Amino acid sequence: MNSICFRAIPSVDVCMEMLLSADGTLADVPRTCLRDAVSTYWDERRSDIRRGAISAPELLTLENNRAGLLRFVRKKLSPNFKRVLNATGVVVHTNLGRSVLSEDARKAVARAASGYCNLELDMGTGTRGSRYGLVEDMLCKLTGAEAAIVVNNNAAAVMLMLDTFCRAGEVVVSRGELVEIGGSFRMPDIMKKSGAVLREVGATNRTRLNDYREAINENTCALMRVHTSNFRIVGFHSSVDLSQLVTLAHDNGLLLIEDLGSGSLIPLHVQGLPDEPSVPSVVSAGVDLVSFSGDKVLGGPQAGIIVGRKELVAKLSSNQLTRALRCDKLCLSALEATLRQYFDPDKAMRNIPTLRCITMAPGELAGKARALARRVKAHASDACRVSIRDGVSRVGGGAFPQYDLPTKLVCLSSSTVDAMTVKMRFLKAETPLVGRIEDDTFCLDVRTLEREELPLVAHLVESVFSMTKEQG
Ligand SMILES: *Cc1c(COP(=O)(O)O)cnc(C)c1O
């Protein structure tokens, strides 16, 4: 029986001919890719036959596979990089690419990508310049630091600081700050890669100034603070006051280095959020070098920004490792455009999507939720029940751990499909949507959905809830 089925499978050439006449745009696709997609489609049917899911030869004719083959091939040839709708309410979502760039930054990237640029050209002399010079001045003005350098990401920035100043020496850090930052990134491991020896002091929940003092010896190069980004020790907990640590470091001729993680340039006074240290506040407190990410609360491209004392930054830039960690023209152009907006903080709040999402007013959230619920009710089948609930969003990216941003959720439920199935269907949609399940209900947090995206979301809801079991 199986052999009859196998023999019923049409040849790849016949399938290609059908596809090319059915869809003119496929003519631009390299033939090897098209051929490969067709073969993969039939390989899947062959395994269907083997496991008994297909047993009738007529299911394998070209005619009966026309639509399926077209759908499969189009999907297979579509870009792997896809736009995704973020309905998780996590503003800085590492899996979803962290910050969305502002319009100014997007334009700057397009400009930098579309022609040659002055990445390393000194416009005054026509000789080789420094790529870091393009943003250094702005970073200094915005943070109050003497100098700045930008590398690939904040993990690279931490590594570079330690490699430059603490190689083969010791760096004192509080045990309570040795954090794991998601994925496989463990701060202590990154720090050890630099060759620095970590002297961990204090207990997880308690470190005193004296713990730092007692750890200092002739091998000590620096004291280091690491912002406890994605977790927070609640309850019985003490850490050392920053000004005392600055004094201790400098009295002993040591550097004080801080990995600020998310690092914001302006204070964010938002309902639900505590005051987190901003970069300028840490710089003015006397920390020698501060590093932070470009794509977390700052709202720019992936980058690791280091600001601090001039002679220290000069040493960083002459470290050979910097060459291996450098960022490219697209990153620097986006960063410049993002930073420029911070000179008018109100403008930054309005135009930088990450800041806008974090600080979104309750009225706007409620308005968006009502608008989305209305659209969904107008489109979705009767199988989908729609309700609006209060919920909680998160800043994400390790910033403001555990702090709740009050939000509105549009919740979708059905008596025929469970929440997990709904979630998976949204993930597999042509424009995938990521939401979350709360109390066995699939919920869309409107904080991270733009108004312009709502029609598309409603359209997705309609197709997800009108699918049959066989379709997913
Ligand atoms: C996020 C984070 C990092 C890593 O930053 P990347 O830009 O992702 O490399 C390092 N340290 C802290 C404290 C962080 O929050």
Side-chain angles (χ1 to χ4, degrees):
M1 194 61 202
N2 277 3
S3 62
I4 300 176
C5 285
F6 285 128
R7 277 200 303 273
I9 292 177
S11 77
V12 173
D13 285 331
V14 169
C15 296
M16 301 257 289
E17 214 171 288
M18 179 280 284
L19 289 169
L20 288 168
S21 65
D23 182 346
T25 65
L26 293 177
D28 295 334
V29 175
R31 288 302 132 96
T32 51
C33 300
L34 199 56
R35 187 170 280 280
D36 196 47
V38 171
S39 300
T40 309
Y41 176 84
W42 289 114
D43 284 345
E44 289 184 9
R45 299 296 78 76
R46 284 187 185 91
S47 64
D48 288 343
I49 298 169
R50 266 180 231 109
R51 65 188 173 84
I54 293 180
S55 53
E58 56 274 20
L59 292 177
L60 296 153
T61 61
L62 183 59
E63 200 39 49
N64 283 332
N65 284 274
R66 229 180 117 85
L69 199 49
L70 257 172
R71 201 169 342 116
F72 182 88
V73 164
R74 284 190 185 126
K75 188 161 183 169
K76 189 103 189 138
L77 297 175
S78 70
N80 291 338
F81 241 102
K82 286 189 200 318
R83 171 177 172 209
V84 170
L85 295 162
N86 178 4
T88 63
V90 179
V91 180
V92 179
H93 199 308
T94 298
N95 299 2
L96 303 184
R98 292 197 180 161
S99 286
V100 174
L101 293 181
S102 65
E103 197 182 331
D104 284 8
R106 287 185 293 229
K107 283 189 185 144
V109 171
R111 244 187 340 263
S114 314
Y116 293 107
C117 60
N118 62 335
L119 180 63
E120 289 193 349
L121 180 67
D122 184 324
M123 306 299 268
T125 61
T127 55
R128 181 166 184 174
S130 156
R131 64 180 63 212
Y132 308 110
L134 298 169
V135 288
E136 184 172 16
D137 226 32
M138 265 190 270
L139 280 167
C140 292
K141 289 200 175 93
L142 289 168
T143 63
E146 292 171 4
I149 187 168
V150 183
V151 289
N152 182 61
N153 59 8
N154 189 30
V158 170
M159 173 122 146
L160 180 61
M161 292 192 294
L162 292 178
D163 182 83
T164 309
F165 298 106
C166 308
R167 209 182 163 74
E170 293 183 10
V171 54
V172 185
V173 56
S174 162
R175 223 165 242 127
E177 297 175 356
L178 288 173
V179 295
E180 184 161 341
I181 303 166
S184 53
F185 178 67
R186 291 187 65 242
M187 201 57 222
D189 292 340
I190 287 284
M191 293 161 84
K192 280 172 200 148
K193 279 275 181 220
S194 68
V197 174
L198 297 191
R199 287 273 293 186
E200 303 173 23
V201 297
T204 315
N205 63 343
R206 203 174 174 94
T207 304
R208 296 189 186 80
L209 190 64
N210 227 22
D211 295 327
Y212 286 95
R213 188 179 287 125
E214 282 168 4
I216 296 173
N217 62 49
E218 68 279 10
N219 295 322
T220 309
C221 304
L223 308 184
M224 179 158 187
R225 294 215 314 170
V226 181
H227 189 61
T228 48
S229 299
N230 61 348
F231 78 107
R232 181 145 303 228
I233 298 158
V234 277
F236 183 66
H237 166 53
S238 72
S239 60
V240 176
D241 185 59
L242 180 55
S243 64
Q244 290 181 313
L245 213 52
V246 170
T247 310
L248 179 66
H250 295 169
D251 283 353
N252 287 277
L254 302 173
L255 294 178
L256 180 57
I257 296 174
E258 174 142 10
D259 167 13
L260 203 46
S262 200
S264 69
L265 292 180
I266 48 182
L268 292 175
H269 303 293
V270 188
Q271 187 198 3
L273 291 188
D275 272 339
E276 287 253 319
S278 65
V279 182
S281 73
V282 172
V283 170
S284 74
V287 177
D288 299 296
L289 286 172
V290 185
S291 78
F292 53 101
S293 290
D295 55 356
K296 290 184 178 174
V297 173
L298 188 79
Q302 177 188 303
I305 301 166
I306 307 174
V307 300
R309 287 189 9 229
K310 204 177 181 77
E311 73 272 20
L312 302 178
V313 173
K315 285 213 175 93
L316 292 174
S317 54
S318 60
N319 185 335
Q320 289 302 318
L321 190 56
T322 302
R323 175 63 179 75
L325 304 177
R326 79 182 184 189
C327 48
D328 77 329
K329 61 186 176 183
L330 303 185
C331 163
L332 285 167
S333 61
L335 185 61
E336 183 196 359
T338 306
L339 291 173
R340 220 170 259 293
Q341 299 177 81
Y342 275 93
F343 288 97
D344 179 349
D346 290 334
K347 187 176 171 208
M349 290 286 188
R350 272 197 311 277
N351 295 349
I352 297 175
T354 297
L355 291 181
R356 196 170 63 217
C357 277
I358 295 172
T359 60
M360 196 167 287
E364 185 173 353
L365 292 163
K368 267 203 288 191
R370 279 195 303 273
L372 179 58
R374 205 179 315 119
R375 273 183 187 279
V376 168
K377 280 177 188 156
H379 286 276
S381 72
D382 299 335
C384 173
R385 284 192 302 273
V386 186
S387 62
I388 297 178
R389 285 191 207 161
D390 290 329
V392 162
S393 322
R394 290 281 152 85
V395 174
F400 305 98
Q402 119 222 353
Y403 292 108
D404 298 344
L405 293 170
T407 191
K408 293 288 178 197
L409 307 174
V410 174
C411 302
L412 309 172
S413 59
S414 153
S415 49
T416 54
V417 266
D418 60 278
M420 197 58 199
T421 306
V422 171
K423 184 179 159 136
M424 293 315 295
R425 284 180 182 177
F426 273 111
L427 263 185
K428 289 183 194 151
E430 190 165 314
T431 305
L433 177 147
V434 189
R436 58 182 209 246
I437 295 175
E438 270 184 28
D439 301 328
D440 288 329
T441 307
F442 185 74
C443 302
L444 309 170
D445 188 328
V446 294
R447 180 183 297 276
T448 41
L449 291 170
E450 294 288 338
R451 256 185 196 278
E452 303 76 64
E453 291 174 332
L454 299 186
L456 179 54
V457 175
H459 174 74
L460 283 177
V461 174
E462 182 182 7
S463 67
V464 159
F465 282 89
S466 59
M467 280 165 95
T468 59
K469 272 207 168 57
E470 294 70 43
Q471 287 173 302

